[in-house]
Amino acid sequence: TAEAKQLFVSAMTEVDELITNYDTISKNGGDAVRRYLGTVGVEKSMYGITKVVKDLREEADDIVEFTEAANEFEAYLYQAEGAAYKSLFVE
């Protein structure tokens, strides 16, 4: 769907922003990083990204390849979220 594609593009733009400015963003703590990942708050485009990716499945030319890539994306997202969450407890 066109809306899902636009949301995905916006989310990837914000992920690029997070990567580029990670040192600055992470100074505000793990929740600032998690906000960019869409796991805290609802204001970033990454919020609900797993549903967006599932919606894009209909657009895939190769459903097996798409599913593998989507699963890998989700795994990396949760790894990053977990690392950012754990950083909240580091002294």
Side-chain angles (χ1 to χ4, degrees):
T1 70
E3 183 181 357
K5 286 180 184 178
Q6 182 55 45
L7 283 170
F8 188 82
V9 169
S10 295
M12 293 308 99
T13 299
E14 289 180 357
V15 168
D16 287 343
E17 182 181 332
L18 172 61
I19 292 168
T20 301
N21 300 304
Y22 182 80
D23 290 340
T24 302
I25 293 167
S26 64
K27 286 180 184 175
N28 293 316
D31 277 347
V33 173
R34 293 172 70 217
R35 194 164 285 108
Y36 271 84
L37 297 174
T39 58
V40 168
V42 297
E43 63 274 357
K44 294 291 184 185
S45 295
M46 282 290 288
Y47 174 75
I49 195 67
T50 55
K51 181 182 181 321
V52 171
V53 170
K54 287 176 185 164
D55 290 345
L56 291 172
R57 181 177 46 221
E58 299 168 12
E59 305 280 328
D61 292 329
D62 183 336
I63 192 65
V64 173
E65 186 176 327
F66 180 88
T67 301
E68 289 172 355
N71 289 342
E72 188 175 342
F73 171 80
E74 194 169 318
Y76 284 129
L77 172 62
Y78 291 127
Q79 286 175 4
E81 196 281 335
Y85 180 77
K86 287 177 185 176
S87 75
L88 296 171
F89 303 100
V90 176
E91 293 184 29

